[in-house]
Amino acid sequence: MTLDRSHIPALPAFTFYLRYAQLVVAIVVLGLSAYVVTYFAYSGASLSLFTAIATLVIAIYNIVTIIIHPAFYNYWAVIGLDTFALIFWLISFSLLASEAAAWSIITHYSDNCAYSTTAYCYRKRALVQKRSTDYRTYRNAMAAGAGLGGLEFVLFAITLDFSLLAVLKHRRTGGHCVPNPESDHVATEQGDQQTLAPSQHQTPSIPLQSQV
């Protein structure tokens, strides 16, 4: 497999470490969202759960294709995935933050509903049917997930901006989005030439000159 990296735009070194940060924050948000969904499948928590899983895939793709398999790196894919993550994190953390702010204490239960102080009926997976938790822990988990989701939004905004700038500079210098197919071909030809070339210790043959 080719190790040609000429198709990878030159990015600042810190942007690579931001990929690790995106990976770690996504794991934390994944755990918090799973905790929230365990009791009530709020749309914000469910969407954050999906976006966190997608972020794991995006971050791993960027890390693996830069370090191990550069042949699979494509800067259009990187920009598209970063844009996708940026949009979904914006929606996810905003929705989860609004739900955390509107969260009210559960006052009593019926057969099908858990009623809050605002008389809202929470129909999905009532707390009494799951392991116990308390109001503050549950609300804080939602708030923490929303805050870290906002952090992910900022991280992807940074990586997307620098990726766009690097791609523009890369294309101005004639760079491509895929490895140079000529690199492997040239390397193969050079290897064949070295194989077919005569040994340095071999005495060269001298053509005989005809006597006049």
Side-chain angles (χ1 to χ4, degrees):
M1 183 177 295
T2 181
L3 294 178
D4 178 40
R5 299 176 182 272
S6 61
H7 63 293
I8 301 179
L11 288 164
F14 74 89
T15 59
F16 180 74
Y17 297 103
L18 291 181
R19 298 297 182 183
Y20 284 103
Q22 291 169 351
L23 183 64
V24 172
V25 174
I27 293 174
V28 178
V29 174
L30 181 65
L32 292 171
S33 300
Y35 175 81
V36 173
V37 172
T38 300
Y39 299 102
F40 293 99
Y42 284 114
S43 55
S46 300
L47 185 58
S48 295
L49 191 66
F50 163 78
T51 309
I53 295 173
T55 298
L56 295 179
V57 176
I58 295 171
I60 291 174
Y61 168 79
N62 279 277
I63 294 171
V64 170
T65 55
I66 291 178
I67 296 180
I68 304 175
H69 297 296
F72 294 106
Y73 184 93
N74 187 300
Y75 56 70
W76 293 125
V78 171
I79 292 176
L81 291 172
D82 277 5
T83 303
F84 168 86
L86 187 71
I87 295 173
F88 270 79
W89 276 119
L90 175 61
I91 300 173
S92 298
F93 90 82
S94 301
L95 185 57
L96 187 58
S98 65
E99 292 171 349
W103 175 253
S104 301
I105 299 176
I106 299 298
T107 56
H108 63 283
Y109 300 93
S110 66
D111 294 337
N112 298 319
C113 296
Y115 291 97
S116 68
T117 53
T118 57
Y120 184 82
C121 173
Y122 299 98
R123 293 182 179 274
K124 293 187 177 181
R125 289 189 263 184
L127 291 172
V128 293
Q129 297 174 356
K130 298 293 180 179
R131 65 181 184 272
S132 61
T133 187
D134 60 73
Y135 158 73
R136 291 181 179 82
T137 301
Y138 190 75
R139 182 189 61 184
N140 291 340
M142 296 176 67
L148 291 175
L151 176 60
E152 283 281 36
F153 173 79
V154 174
L155 292 176
F156 273 101
I158 295 174
T159 55
L160 178 60
D161 287 343
F162 279 94
S163 294
L164 287 172
L165 293 175
V167 167
L168 291 175
K169 182 178 180 180
H170 183 73
R171 289 182 63 82
R172 281 199 301 266
T173 58
H176 300 281
C177 62
V178 294
N180 184 8
E182 296 296 329
S183 61
D184 288 341
H185 181 67
V186 171
T188 303
E189 287 186 346
Q190 290 176 350
D192 294 340
Q193 291 174 1
Q194 291 177 359
T195 302
L196 297 175
S199 174
Q200 295 180 355
H201 300 285
Q202 182 179 355
T203 302
S205 59
I206 302 175
L208 296 176
Q209 297 180 357
S210 59
Q211 298 179 354
V212 179

